Amino acid sequence: MAMLKALVVDDASFVRDLVKRTVRQRFPVIETMDAQNGRRAQSLMSRTAFDLVLCDWEMPEMSGLELLQWMRAQPQYEKVPFIMITSRGDKDHVIEAVRGGVSEYLGKPFSPEGLSKKIIKVMGRKLKDAMDHSGKSMASPADAFKESATLLTRKPEPAATPPVSEPSSPPAAGNAATPRPAAGRGTMSLASVRFAESTLKSVVKDINLTEVRVIAKRDQVFPGILDQAVVDIETGEGQMARLNGYVHQLQAVDKRQDTDFVSVTIRFVDEDPKKLEDLSRFIARFRAGTP
């Protein structure tokens, strides 16, 4: 029987399900509920007492930072642990979250082990006493991650725009450090794809509202199929889109065993209208071949 309550807040249902499954597998004494944005979370927290909040930063209606600030102003939530789980890991945002009263900060993509360590750190004795009282043992974080694989393989919604067509010839081996741009484009669109343990420098080859396909040099550290990913793309005017997703496909660019380039397809899971709007603008510029 669950003795503690945790609230998981994220606009992407995939991320909410992944966090909840990890928590249930690792900490069976914690019951989880979820909300798709800060406004919904605020409503739930006004009716139910929670012992832990795990929250994204960028969400429609009310952001994670706004929820944190509201929460710290409530006597019943002044000291309740709040873990910010977000792709915004730059120093300024970390400082802003700390000033807002965040308990811990976990960057996306995260591993089940990393999430578990943060929960143990912020819950402390309260979690240990609950686990001891229930006689439950902590499951392996790897087990939780394996169980979540079914979430990753769900069929995505149809793309709002078709993918950009691929030139017939792949980049030649031994060329410069990055692949050539697609035919007819005056510039290359670069992307950094972040994983739990590495970052992949790449060039955008095809993109639509459902997924992106990038080309990367083989001499980098590559992820595994179904690994979580965050795709960082410059969308123009100094703005950066941080798109959450997972690895759908890895494929050699050509049939040679010593090929220099690998194609990586990332399926998006974000449901934030603002992110989709930014992505749509980037796709329009990508198709036009403008920076």
Side-chain angles (χ1 to χ4, degrees):
M1 178 179 178
M3 303 170 64
L4 303 171
K5 291 183 182 293
L7 180 60
V8 180
V9 192
D10 199 295
D11 62 289
S13 58
F14 152 77
V15 178
R16 296 198 304 270
D17 291 343
L18 182 57
V19 172
K20 288 191 298 180
R21 284 173 180 263
T22 301
V23 171
R24 286 198 298 264
Q25 283 285 321
R26 183 68 167 164
F27 310 107
V29 297
I30 300 180
E31 176 186 353
T32 59
M33 296 180 66
D34 66 285
Q36 67 269 33
N37 57 55
R39 189 71 65 196
R40 174 60 179 162
Q42 190 180 54
S43 176
L44 290 172
M45 292 171 71
S46 298
R47 302 195 306 267
T48 303
F50 291 96
D51 304 285
L52 171 67
V53 177
L54 305 112
C55 185
D56 185 26
W57 186 308
E58 296 175 296
M59 298 179 294
E61 297 193 40
M62 176 183 278
S63 71
L65 182 62
E66 291 171 329
L67 178 64
L68 172 62
Q69 292 168 340
W70 170 84
M71 180 175 159
R72 292 305 183 221
Q74 312 306 310
Q76 70 272 32
Y77 287 115
E78 186 179 1
K79 296 182 179 180
V80 169
F82 187 108
I83 300 177
M84 190 78 82
I85 306 176
T86 175
S87 55
R88 303 177 71 165
D90 52 282
K91 182 179 178 181
D92 290 344
H93 286 109
V94 174
I95 292 174
E96 193 173 4
V98 170
R99 287 175 177 168
V102 76
S103 306
E104 274 294 331
Y105 200 101
L106 180 62
K108 293 179 182 177
F110 57 88
S111 66
E113 181 65 35
L115 176 59
S116 298
K117 286 180 178 178
K118 295 290 186 182
I119 293 174
I120 291 171
K121 182 176 179 180
V122 301
M123 296 293 287
R125 173 64 63 177
K126 190 172 187 178
L127 177 59
K128 185 180 185 302
D129 289 347
M131 294 292 286
D132 290 344
H133 185 267
S134 69
K136 299 285 187 179
S137 60
M138 294 185 184
S140 165
D143 293 339
F145 189 68
K146 288 176 183 176
E147 183 185 355
S148 68
T150 55
L151 301 172
L152 297 164
T153 54
R154 291 182 305 186
K155 185 176 180 181
E157 294 297 320
T161 58
V164 179
S165 59
E166 177 187 357
S168 56
S169 58
N175 277 3
T178 54
R180 294 195 302 266
R185 303 198 198 288
T187 60
M188 287 188 296
S189 296
L190 305 180
S192 291
V193 187
R194 289 185 278 130
F195 306 99
E197 305 294 337
S198 64
T199 298
L200 197 66
K201 300 298 182 182
S202 61
V203 172
V204 177
K205 190 65 172 294
D206 293 327
I207 188 166
N208 56 49
L209 291 178
T210 298
E211 64 185 27
V212 61
R213 185 157 64 90
V214 301
I215 305 296
K217 285 281 287 184
R218 181 185 175 185
D219 58 4
Q220 302 181 71
V221 177
F222 280 82
I225 298 296
L226 304 184
D227 280 2
Q228 296 177 72
V230 173
V231 183
D232 294 333
I233 301 177
E234 291 189 14
T235 57
E237 300 179 354
Q239 298 298 310
M240 180 73 72
R242 297 175 175 86
L243 302 159
N244 298 291
Y246 65 91
V247 179
H248 176 69
Q249 185 180 61
L250 290 170
Q251 186 175 6
V253 169
D254 56 45
K255 296 180 180 180
R256 294 181 299 104
Q257 186 176 6
D258 61 346
T259 180
D260 284 349
F261 297 99
V262 176
S263 169
V264 184
T265 300
I266 307 295
R267 285 261 171 97
F268 298 134
V269 299
D270 283 307
E271 299 171 15
D272 185 345
K274 177 63 168 61
K275 285 192 176 184
L276 295 178
E277 180 182 342
D278 292 342
L279 180 57
S280 295
R281 285 198 295 267
F282 172 80
I283 292 170
R285 283 194 294 271
F286 179 84
R287 286 172 167 276
T290 56

